[in-house]
Amino acid sequence: MSSFQGRLLIVDLSTRTFRTEPLDASYCREYLGGGGLATRLLWDLSRPGVDPFDPDNPLVFAVGPLTGTMVPAASKYAVATKSPLTGFIGDSLSSGAWPLALKRAGYDALVILGAAEAPSYIFIDDDRVYFRPARTLWGADSWETEGRIRRDLGDESVRVATIGPAGEKLVRYACIGNDYSRQAGRTGAGAVMGSKRLKAIAVRGTKPVQVADVETLRRVSLDLYARSQGAATAKYRVLGTPANVLALNALAALPTRNFRQSTFEGAERVSGEWLYERYKAKVVACAGCSIGCDHIYRVSDGPHAGTQVGMEYESLYALGPLCGVDDAAAVLRSAELCDRYGMDTMSTGASIAWAMECYERGLISREETGGVDLRFGDGAAVIALVEQIGLRRGLGQLLGEGVKRAAETVGGGSGRWAMHVKGLEMPGYEPRSLKTLALGLAVGTRGACHNRSSAYEVDLSAKVDRLNGERGRGALAMIQEDYSAVLDSLGLCKFLRRCFDAFYSEASELFRAATGLEMTAEELQRVGERVSNLKKAFNIREGWTRDDDTLPERIFEEPLPTGIAKGTRLTREELATMIEGYYEARGWTNEGLIPPEKLAELGLEI
Amino acid sequence: MYRRHIVCDPAECTGCRLCEFACALEKTGSFDLELSRIRVAAPQPAAAISIACQLCEGVPCVVACPRQALSVRAEDGTIALEKGLCTGCGWCIEACDFGAIALDPGTKSVVICDLCRELPEPRCVESCPKRALSLSPQSAVAGRLRKKAAEQLLKES
């Protein structure tokens, strides 16, 4: 008995055919599932140099080995593809009932190849796959699509992962949404799905998931349920991730007005506390999660009445402080529109913030904005731009390309305030006052991502001086990155991480109880290193060079103007020193390449 | 008869479905969620409640069965199934206002919550991380609602 289903489902949209393949048993140990397995399958199936919108660019979904069991916070999937935003690996995670359904349909992974001739959706009904027309769904927003597909199939238990109009119109940061309030948000997997004219993936899974050792699994799970009601998860359960707003503001680490500041005078009015007090409707959980972090907010009066949306800190940061907006209801409305259009709230907010700065400096005219007075602080202007991007109208034509490409088009020095790494817009943590994070963002394989790196945890741990970078941060950032890769490959939510006392040995016990496979703590840790290296190898294959590991110019040129970190800067030398330390810790060359010995050591015969 | 059933407090329920996992494991030995005797319903993203057999006084499921396969256990009011008589026709499923009966496609007979009567506590109640589930008589439910209403009233006055 094993919680792996042992099968991959491969769907070819061009030929309207599907087949299953056994899951390579060695992959179970080497990549576990989720992010690791999706990365490996992408590596295996991807043609080097493929255009992200070419039908040959595979779209790979993988669930975790613990998904479908009673282990809490394990209903996650990863989706990997070559990113249209970065041209490197795009791997994104989401959770909810959809991955649970995919697992219960009998699969550990789903590979989408080719492209449909006309708009379509697929319906995976356990062992069968149906190709269905989506002509009338094309143009429908994500939430509407979910409901309409359930009605079309006549089954409320069907789970749907879908794109919105943004994905159809190839907004480079379009996301895939599932179960209404969850999104595989970053790096544009939704645009790749749109390029395949695949509107949605509906799944009905009715099979059991088996485990090797029922008693151990039940005991450890119940223990984790109890632990996950304690202090380790209080932040997520009580205020949710918006609790970060005031915490980061106090640390001068809350990016504001396109990173011109790291404190926001309006922080309180968009804080987790403010939202909770005025707008909280309900706290819900993903399928199989004992924590319950998803705060759904409802606006019942004022100009944005009727808005109802789940909101995380990163969405709040990007559509709020980053655009100088302190009108919480307007931010909620912007987030709802992003979810409905199906696009990454973070890249959307960052693109608008970049455009606001261009507008202020006279590089974008009022004519180009369609009459919108695009000033920092104007919540209505943000909403108007979200609509333009989502429907790819007006300035949305440009902004849907992401800030890197938009700045290349607009010119005039606007690249200096295009806040991205490798094309992926920045998350809501200030690199100048969180130096380990700065390193993590610079070397990140999917670009500026706080989650894959998790290096901010080092800065917030008080074990280092967060305002000063040094060579030793390389090893610390690496440990965090590998740890994140293991969580993502097990399909465990990061919000559960503090419930473990000794993560690797406890995870090893859970993995054995579920799958029957013995993996030592060291072997599990090694998986993280292998996955991190494979992502890097993918990027090298796609033309990565040392110059890609850097940060936006503003970060080097402008010291922070306010807050307790006032005057703090990050110099190019400081970052270079940390990067050298990182390459060294990884066992890579000075140029950041992976030597053959390292590949051999990790068993990466690629 | 001391008649108790699984009661869910929708204010506490997050819709996590861990009750389904725990029930399925207890009853089937695997995570065969189709056979969970308790199911979460979430009519919209900001609402969830889990529902199992309500032990209705009028037993519409028992009445609907054309083969007398269902009966009420005298000691606790749970519904007993005589497997040999059940053909899986599904009339009881349609008769149940709560959707609390499922068909096992393997055995072609129905499954209904029996409150884990062999265990000290039903698995769903034991597993609920938010303590939203309890095993309570109908009267206790009304009592709890009265208390809540009183608290609200007294707070407001």
Side-chain angles (χ1 to χ4, degrees):
Chain A
M1 298 288 197
S2 167
S3 59
F4 282 106
Q5 299 288 37
R7 289 199 310 171
L8 316 177
L9 175 63
I10 298 160
V11 175
D12 189 326
L13 297 169
S14 298
T15 57
R16 293 167 68 90
T17 54
F18 67 95
R19 64 179 198 278
T20 60
E21 276 184 15
L23 172 64
D24 187 332
S26 64
Y27 284 5
C28 299
R29 297 180 143 273
E30 289 168 8
Y31 302 99
L32 310 178
L37 180 60
T39 298
R40 179 68 214 208
L41 293 173
L42 178 68
W43 172 270
D44 291 346
L45 297 165
S46 183
R47 170 164 58 79
V50 70
D51 185 276
F53 292 146
D54 189 294
D56 280 352
N57 184 21
L59 188 61
V60 183
F61 298 84
V63 296
L66 305 174
T67 306
T69 74
M70 70 192 293
V71 174
S75 291
K76 270 203 137 47
Y77 70 92
V79 52
T81 191
K82 183 173 172 182
S83 166
L85 202 54
T86 67
F88 294 126
I89 187 164
D91 60 312
S92 199
L93 298 169
S94 180
S95 51
W98 187 83
L100 176 61
L102 185 65
K103 179 79 172 254
R104 293 178 61 215
Y107 309 104
D108 298 303
L110 162 67
V111 177
I112 307 281
L113 301 171
E117 220 165 84
S120 305
Y121 79 89
I122 57 172
F123 173 39
I124 301 168
D125 187 15
D126 284 342
D127 294 331
R128 293 279 313 169
V129 178
Y130 299 90
F131 296 83
R132 299 185 60 89
R135 269 187 307 275
T136 59
L137 289 171
W138 210 246
D141 78 38
S142 294
W143 295 359
E144 188 190 341
T145 303
E146 274 202 40
R148 279 175 57 186
I149 287 180
R150 285 199 191 96
R151 280 196 294 280
D152 183 31
L153 296 172
D155 186 346
E156 282 296 309
S157 72
V158 166
R159 295 296 163 176
V160 180
T162 183
I163 59 169
E168 298 168 12
K169 292 175 188 296
L170 307 184
V171 170
R172 286 183 185 269
Y173 42 84
C175 66
I176 299 173
N178 59 276
D179 304 296
Y180 294 108
S181 56
R182 307 311 306 175
Q183 289 83 24
R186 307 225 73 194
T187 65
V192 172
M193 202 156 139
S195 75
K196 297 181 178 308
R197 289 179 281 281
L198 180 61
K199 180 66 179 174
I201 304 168
V203 186
R204 178 163 57 192
T206 67
K207 298 186 182 193
V209 173
Q210 316 266 0
V211 295
D213 176 352
V214 167
E215 284 318 312
T216 302
L217 193 95
R218 178 161 28 214
R219 175 177 51 76
V220 177
S221 296
L222 287 175
D223 188 35
L224 281 171
Y225 299 171
R227 283 195 247 170
S228 63
Q229 308 311 312
T233 62
K235 171 178 143 187
Y236 307 118
R237 285 182 291 110
V238 181
L239 290 179
T241 54
N244 283 354
V245 172
L246 293 184
L248 290 174
N249 194 47
L251 294 171
L254 175 65
T256 300
R257 295 189 183 83
N258 202 31
F259 284 81
R260 289 201 298 213
Q261 291 162 254
S262 65
T263 59
F264 184 40
E265 67 285 355
E268 201 190 321
R269 291 168 52 82
V270 289
S271 62
E273 291 80 352
W274 186 280
L275 286 173
Y276 190 90
E277 187 71 22
R278 288 163 182 80
Y279 303 109
K280 190 203 80 166
K282 175 82 181 163
V283 180
V284 293
C286 290
C289 177
S290 56
I291 302 169
C293 73
D294 194 1
H295 287 58
I296 310 270
Y297 304 97
R298 191 179 294 141
V299 181
S300 42
D301 49 26
H304 308 297
T307 296
Q308 180 179 298
V309 65
M311 172 74 96
E312 301 292 345
Y313 164 70
E314 292 293 339
S315 306
L316 187 50
Y317 128 81
L319 299 164
L322 197 66
C323 294
V325 175
D326 67 357
D327 175 351
V331 176
L332 289 168
R333 179 66 185 153
S334 300
E336 180 184 322
L337 287 172
C338 285
D339 287 0
R340 284 179 175 274
Y341 289 132
M343 52 198 196
D344 178 16
T345 48
M346 297 164 71
S347 287
T348 303
S351 297
I352 295 170
W354 171 84
M356 284 175 154
E357 187 156 351
C358 291
Y359 182 82
E360 207 172 71
R361 291 169 183 258
L363 290 172
I364 288 177
S365 68
R366 193 155 183 166
E367 200 179 332
E368 287 168 293
T369 64
V372 177
D373 190 19
L374 195 55
R375 292 187 189 284
F376 282 110
D378 187 339
V382 173
I383 291 169
L385 265 289
V386 167
E387 286 173 344
Q388 290 187 20
I389 297 169
L391 297 170
R392 217 72 205 263
R393 288 184 185 146
L395 197 58
Q397 295 285 354
L398 175 75
L399 297 185
E401 293 292 298
V403 296
K404 179 175 171 229
R405 285 175 176 79
E408 285 162 9
T409 303
V410 168
S414 61
R416 283 193 296 115
W417 62 86
M419 304 306 292
H420 71 90
V421 174
K422 300 183 179 77
L424 183 71
E425 288 75 11
M426 302 272 280
Y429 293 87
E430 171 54 59
R432 283 163 288 191
S433 54
L434 300 167
K435 294 284 172 70
T436 324
L437 166 92
L439 168 63
L441 297 184
V443 300
T445 48
R446 74 166 184 170
C449 176
H450 62 296
N451 262 328
R452 294 297 173 279
S453 154
S454 299
Y456 61 90
E457 295 233 35
V458 175
D459 295 314
L460 301 179
S461 71
K463 285 181 199 146
V464 299
D465 174 3
R466 67 183 172 93
L467 300 181
N468 285 295
E470 32 76 32
R471 201 177 175 88
R473 299 302 165 84
L476 298 174
M478 176 188 76
I479 290 167
Q480 284 299 116
E481 201 169 42
D482 292 350
Y483 168 50
S484 296
V486 174
L487 284 165
D488 296 348
S489 301
L490 285 169
L492 279 179
C493 180
K494 287 204 173 65
F495 294 175
L496 193 70
R497 68 193 184 283
R498 293 195 190 97
C499 298
F500 296 101
D501 294 324
F503 170 73
Y504 285 110
S505 54
E506 289 175 65
S508 158
E509 187 184 26
L510 273 176
F511 185 75
R512 185 198 56 75
T515 67
L517 298 175
E518 300 277 354
M519 292 270 289
T520 63
E522 293 70 32
E523 284 172 318
L524 269 185
Q525 201 161 2
R526 201 68 163 169
V527 170
E529 191 184 0
R530 184 177 300 114
V531 172
S532 298
N533 274 270
L534 186 58
K535 288 180 180 177
K536 178 61 182 265
F538 183 94
N539 285 1
I540 293 169
R541 195 167 80 171
E542 296 299 332
W544 174 91
T545 66
R546 169 69 185 78
D547 294 341
D548 289 308
D549 284 0
T550 189
L551 290 169
E553 284 183 43
R554 163 160 288 161
I555 300 299
F556 301 121
E557 289 171 0
E558 298 172 21
L560 292 175
T562 56
I564 59 166
K566 185 173 177 177
T568 305
R569 20 182 345 130
L570 172 70
T571 64
R572 289 178 198 277
E573 296 69 36
E574 194 178 5
L575 181 66
T577 302
M578 289 194 288
I579 290 178
E580 279 167 28
Y582 173 82
Y583 291 166
E584 184 184 53
R586 281 253 173 247
W588 294 349
T589 70
N590 293 338
E591 284 305 297
L593 298 169
I594 314 173
E597 311 87 78
K598 188 72 200 178
L599 290 173
E601 181 194 317
L602 293 167
L604 277 171
E605 281 142 25
I606 51 178
Chain B
M1 187 198 302
Y2 189 47
R3 192 192 286 263
R4 298 190 297 172
H5 69 284
I6 305 292
V7 176
C8 178
D9 180 351
E12 298 299 325
C13 179
T14 61
C16 74
R17 300 171 63 188
L18 285 170
C19 49
E20 295 182 18
F21 286 83
C23 178
L25 186 64
E26 177 62 28
K27 297 301 181 190
T28 72
S30 72
F31 297 103
D32 191 350
L33 302 190
E34 293 298 299
L35 296 183
S36 173
R37 278 65 162 161
I38 184 165
R39 299 293 285 266
V40 169
Q44 60 114 329
I49 187 168
S50 43
I51 301 172
C53 175
Q54 303 289 300
L55 276 69
C56 307
E57 293 270 2
V59 286
C61 54
V62 175
V63 174
C65 181
R67 294 176 170 265
Q68 286 77 51
L70 297 176
S71 59
V72 181
R73 288 192 187 94
E75 59 273 31
D76 59 8
T78 55
I79 305 297
L81 172 79
E82 180 67 48
K83 260 193 184 167
L85 296 176
C86 177
T87 60
C89 72
W91 279 29
C92 57
I93 296 175
E94 288 188 36
C96 177
D97 289 332
F98 298 91
I101 306 179
L103 181 70
D104 181 345
T107 62
K108 301 277 187 285
S109 59
V110 295
V111 295
I112 307 175
C113 170
D114 68 351
L115 305 176
C116 292
R117 38 211 299 281
E118 313 297 328
L119 296 174
E121 189 178 28
R123 287 294 189 190
C124 57
V125 175
E126 173 193 62
S127 305
C128 179
K130 302 299 177 191
R131 298 275 163 255
L133 295 177
S134 57
L135 184 56
S136 307
Q138 205 61 255
S139 55
V141 179
R144 203 153 49 223
L145 289 171
R146 275 197 295 278
K147 191 170 161 219
K148 217 181 244 180
E151 278 168 0
Q152 189 64 31
L153 262 170
L154 297 176
K155 196 167 74 182
E156 278 169 12
S157 64

